[in-house]
Amino acid sequence: MNASPTPQALPLSRLLNHTADAVRAVRSGASLNEALAACPVPARPGTQALSFQVMRGLGRAQALRGQLARRAPPAWVDALLLTALALLCEAEEAGYAEHTLVDQAVEAVKQRERASSSFVNAVLRRFLREREALLAAVARDPVAQWNHPRWWIERLQRDWPEHWQALLSANNQRPPMTLRVNAARATAEAYLERLQAAGLEGTAIGPQAVRLDLPCPVSRLPGFEAGDVSVQDLAAQWAAPLLLEAEGGRLPRGARVLDACAAPGGKTAHLLELAELDLLALDSDAARLARVEDTLARLQLRAELKAADARQPEAWWDGRPFDAILMDAPCSAAGIVRRHPDVRWLRRDADIAQLAGIQRDMLEALWPLLKPGGRLLYCTCSVFKAEGQPQIDAFLQRHSEARQLAAPGHALPLPHNADVAAHPGPAAAAHDGFFYALLEKRPV
């Protein structure tokens, strides 16, 4: 049996080798994106598919390995063992029969660490024999049960006592592929007809938003290269309309706008699709800023791009105040774990306070750049409350000239979430987790 989306020409043992490399890299502190970039191109799609599944089941796999082998083997062998255990727990999702996974895992070890092949074979075959008892034993461990670090679980329990279990479960689901139809070209409903003609099915979930029934390569999307459509989650699509359309009215044509953390450029492009703006796209990472440039080029949009730290305006600001600022702040990414399943294993509890400090400093640095009557949209792709309203409440206490306008607040990545009713799109449409706060600078 092999219903896997991985390339059939590549032996599973080779993909398991590369997946173990990726798992070892993440456990050493590297991001999965970095690890996959080091993977040979032909093996990358299959390795990514397996790596994502392993990341979603890593907590349970680590607990099982602890039951099966009290002493951890060498780092790469351990990563291979964890990979195999995570896949065996969800073999149907991986698309391989259990005996195939075991045989190919042993073959993978023989290619790299032959002396450990008997050990890996014995551990994996014992797991198959004692599966039910072993799974029952580790199920008592919250990290194994929810496949998240203990601190993450406890933080969600404090922040969302009624939703924490649903949030953890949602993080282990495959994310939907959502499109943003270029407002200057068509509506979501009109683009659906083009999708159907191309043999793709989807649902309109917003004025410009289409959710595909099944993900597909962007090369299959009609008009993608021509700039007719982009890939962007529904919650991320709220940013541009929130900034452009506020209580004080729509931003005027030619308004001066700052996108303070622009990469990879989805929100930058959306702003320019909806309005004619004098827009400065800023990002501290020059390499990531190149992605913004590529995105704008594909969509035939123009903006000024600058690589600089938003917290140091003296190094890049020309002194002309902005009518509006989009501050998509650096954060824990706790709201987009479905798309980046390694994030949970890379973050530490202490990171949240450190990130909240960066967010505070960025707010303080950018606020003086906003003209009286202007507006600033603060957003994070996080479900942790420390990166949401408490940050804004503290800012409002420090700045009497600031007032908070209507905005979604925390939007949890759950269907039928009560908060979602206040947001664009149907309440049943699942989306990433975000926090939005819109601030206006009152004349003093």
Side-chain angles (χ1 to χ4, degrees):
M1 178 183 76
N2 192 337
S4 171
T6 58
Q8 302 303 302
L10 296 176
L12 177 57
S13 61
R14 181 178 169 189
L15 294 179
L16 291 173
N17 253 300
H18 294 308
T19 302
D21 287 338
V23 171
R24 181 183 180 182
V26 170
R27 297 184 83 210
S28 298
S31 74
L32 194 52
N33 283 344
E34 293 172 324
L36 291 171
C39 179
V41 172
R44 199 170 295 166
T47 302
Q48 176 173 306
L50 295 179
S51 298
F52 271 47
Q53 185 175 342
V54 174
M55 289 297 112
R56 295 187 183 109
L58 187 58
R60 180 171 52 191
Q62 290 178 149
L64 286 169
R65 201 271 293 145
Q67 292 283 322
L68 291 160
R70 298 295 182 179
R71 177 179 295 181
W76 185 86
V77 175
D78 197 22
L80 187 283
L81 197 54
L82 294 173
T83 294
L85 288 168
L87 296 176
L88 284 169
C89 287
E90 303 287 347
E92 185 174 344
E93 182 180 346
Y96 295 99
E98 291 178 345
H99 71 273
T100 301
L101 280 168
V102 172
D103 290 346
Q104 291 295 292
V106 173
E107 178 61 29
V109 177
K110 287 180 179 177
Q111 295 168 11
R112 297 273 289 269
E113 300 282 352
R114 176 171 287 274
S116 297
S117 59
S118 297
F119 165 75
V120 169
N121 183 57
V123 168
L124 296 182
R125 295 197 182 279
R126 180 188 165 197
F127 169 72
L128 293 183
R129 291 194 307 270
E130 303 176 21
R131 171 197 289 268
E132 297 305 320
L134 288 165
L135 289 175
V138 301
R140 295 188 287 270
D141 176 3
V143 177
Q145 180 183 4
W146 297 107
N147 286 297
H148 284 73
R150 187 178 299 273
W151 71 264
W152 191 300
I153 297 169
E154 292 173 350
R155 185 176 283 270
L156 287 183
Q157 288 172 332
R158 294 193 302 271
D159 284 355
W160 304 105
E162 296 181 2
H163 300 299
W164 68 272
Q165 293 170 307
L167 287 168
L168 292 169
S169 296
N171 285 348
N172 288 323
Q173 304 302 312
R174 293 174 181 264
M177 184 172 179
T178 305
L179 310 178
R180 185 190 76 241
V181 180
N182 190 333
R185 311 278 181 90
T187 63
E189 293 291 348
Y191 189 73
L192 275 177
E193 297 180 7
R194 296 181 66 184
L195 284 174
Q196 291 166 358
L200 300 171
E201 297 295 330
T203 304
I205 58 173
Q208 307 302 138
V210 171
R211 185 178 58 213
L212 295 181
D213 290 358
L214 294 172
C216 72
V218 294
S219 58
R220 290 195 61 197
L221 298 175
F224 179 81
E225 290 301 330
D228 295 344
V229 69
S230 299
V231 179
Q232 188 180 41
D233 183 75
L234 177 65
Q237 292 187 40
W238 299 338
L242 281 168
L243 190 63
L244 295 173
E245 307 278 356
E247 295 174 19
R250 184 176 174 84
L251 286 180
R253 180 179 179 180
R256 182 161 163 78
V257 175
L258 170 66
D259 187 349
C261 304
K267 298 180 183 69
T268 312
H270 197 193
L271 284 166
L272 294 169
E273 287 175 357
L274 296 177
E276 186 176 329
L277 304 169
D278 174 11
L279 191 146
L280 170 60
L282 198 72
D283 202 274
S284 60
D285 188 328
R288 281 172 50 82
L289 197 64
R291 295 179 60 189
V292 181
E293 186 174 16
D294 292 342
T295 296
L296 297 182
R298 180 179 64 84
L299 295 168
Q300 302 167 49
L301 300 169
R302 298 185 63 181
E304 180 184 359
L305 274 61
K306 190 169 291 189
D309 188 338
R311 294 172 294 175
Q312 299 174 351
E314 66 278 3
W316 54 265
W317 186 43
D318 63 5
R320 293 187 295 148
F322 293 97
D323 296 289
I325 296 175
L326 171 59
M327 181 183 149
D328 189 359
C331 71
S332 65
I336 56 173
V337 183
R338 294 181 302 175
R339 302 185 190 281
H340 301 279
D342 54 322
V343 164
R344 73 192 87 179
W345 308 115
L346 295 172
R347 292 292 182 208
R348 300 291 180 265
D349 195 18
D351 295 343
I352 310 307
Q354 181 181 5
L355 287 163
I358 293 172
Q359 294 153 11
R360 180 193 63 241
D361 293 345
M362 192 171 290
L363 273 169
E364 292 295 336
L366 295 179
W367 186 249
L369 282 54
L370 189 66
K371 67 174 55 174
R375 63 190 70 146
L376 182 150
L377 181 64
Y378 169 93
C379 59
T380 61
C381 53
S382 175
V383 296
F384 294 148
K385 287 194 173 181
E387 300 180 282
Q389 193 59 46
Q391 181 79 260
I392 298 303
D393 290 342
F395 180 83
L396 292 172
Q397 288 188 353
R398 297 193 300 269
H399 294 272
S400 60
E401 77 282 10
R403 76 179 182 108
Q404 188 169 1
L405 306 178
H410 252 124
L412 302 182
L414 302 174
H416 309 295
N417 169 24
D419 293 341
V420 175
H423 307 151
H431 51 73
D432 291 343
F434 264 82
F435 176 81
Y436 283 105
L438 186 61
L439 304 173
E440 180 186 58
K441 179 181 280 189
R442 294 180 291 199
V444 291

